[in-house]
Amino acid sequence: METVQAVAQHAEAVLGKEGFRYVSTVVANCKMLALELEEQAEDASALDMEALIIAGYLHNISTVAYGYFSHHLKSAEMAAAFLRGLDVPAERINKVEQAIQTHTSAVSPEERETVPLEGRILYDADKLGRLSGLAVVTSLIEFGARYPNRAVTGEVLAAILRHIEERFVELYQSLNTTPAREMAREKFGNTLAFLD
């Protein structure tokens, strides 16, 4: 766990408080999903929990310096370099790299088994953060920024809500694990309750 602590400190130093708060939430989601998989007796035996946690902390590490375009590739590269400096075994570094490299891409259900379990969980944990009442507020803010002179009428609000629902369905269908889909359903229900 010394490695995880060093990784968390590095992530906080690079990402700052806000960025670290977000990746800490992703790490918490990773842990919850892994525990749920274990309880549901899904194939969690092959899971390298330490690699998953490390990948959770480092999956956005490049965004401060390089932005989000292809951040999964640059973050994987930067994570590997940092971990080599800590003398982390090559096998674990490889798992972390693979998880980070795959955390931005949805895969079809038929292809899921070709993606490492750590990558599938990290993808789900990262996406779950987008399913909240905050998504509604963000959509309203974006609408206001795009159309500053347009009032938010009932019709406009209904269109925004349809957009959010469509995005939710896309996101839900892309999730890799049963626990993530269950959590997503609950979060979406909470979002609808927030809207009501």
Side-chain angles (χ1 to χ4, degrees):
M1 283 312 222
E2 290 175 21
T3 301
V4 171
Q5 190 173 18
V7 165
Q9 289 171 348
H10 178 65
E12 185 172 21
V14 172
L15 296 170
K17 286 186 181 187
E18 284 302 311
F20 184 70
R21 187 174 297 130
Y22 177 74
V23 297
S24 294
T25 301
V26 171
V27 169
N29 284 341
C30 285
K31 290 176 182 179
M32 283 190 297
L33 292 172
L35 288 172
E36 287 292 322
L37 284 172
E38 192 176 289
E39 287 179 15
Q40 294 179 6
E42 291 192 29
D43 188 29
S45 62
L47 177 66
D48 182 335
M49 186 64 126
E50 189 166 321
L52 175 62
I53 292 168
I54 291 168
Y57 278 122
L58 299 178
H59 76 281
N60 283 349
I61 202 77
S62 71
T63 59
V64 173
Y66 301 100
Y68 282 91
F69 181 75
S70 295
H71 79 281
H72 59 295
L73 301 175
K74 190 65 177 167
S75 290
E77 181 184 311
M78 291 172 69
F82 178 74
L83 295 173
R84 280 192 289 276
L86 296 177
D87 291 327
V88 172
E91 183 180 338
R92 178 153 292 142
I93 292 172
N94 187 43
K95 286 184 178 187
V96 170
E97 278 185 294
Q98 288 179 342
I100 294 172
Q101 288 170 348
T102 59
H103 90 275
T104 60
S105 300
V107 292
S108 69
E110 300 80 36
E111 297 173 312
R112 285 189 181 138
E113 295 305 313
T114 65
V115 174
L117 182 57
E118 295 83 4
R120 288 182 275 153
I121 293 171
L122 181 56
Y123 174 90
D124 287 357
D126 195 28
K127 300 304 174 238
L128 284 171
R130 299 181 186 187
L131 299 173
S132 67
L134 186 57
V136 176
V137 173
T138 302
S139 294
L140 290 170
I141 291 169
E142 288 173 359
F143 175 83
R146 267 192 211 141
Y147 308 104
N149 298 323
R150 191 162 176 198
V152 179
T153 63
E155 185 180 316
V156 169
L157 186 57
I160 291 170
L161 297 179
R162 277 193 305 277
H163 172 74
I164 292 168
E165 185 174 13
E166 289 167 6
R167 301 299 301 161
F168 168 79
V169 170
E170 289 172 19
L171 189 58
Y172 178 82
Q173 290 173 342
S174 77
L175 295 172
N176 296 302
T177 62
T178 302
R181 288 187 289 278
E182 289 169 359
M183 288 172 70
R185 259 195 308 275
E186 183 180 335
K187 282 178 169 270
F188 189 62
N190 292 342
T191 297
L192 292 179
F194 169 78
L195 293 172
D196 286 345

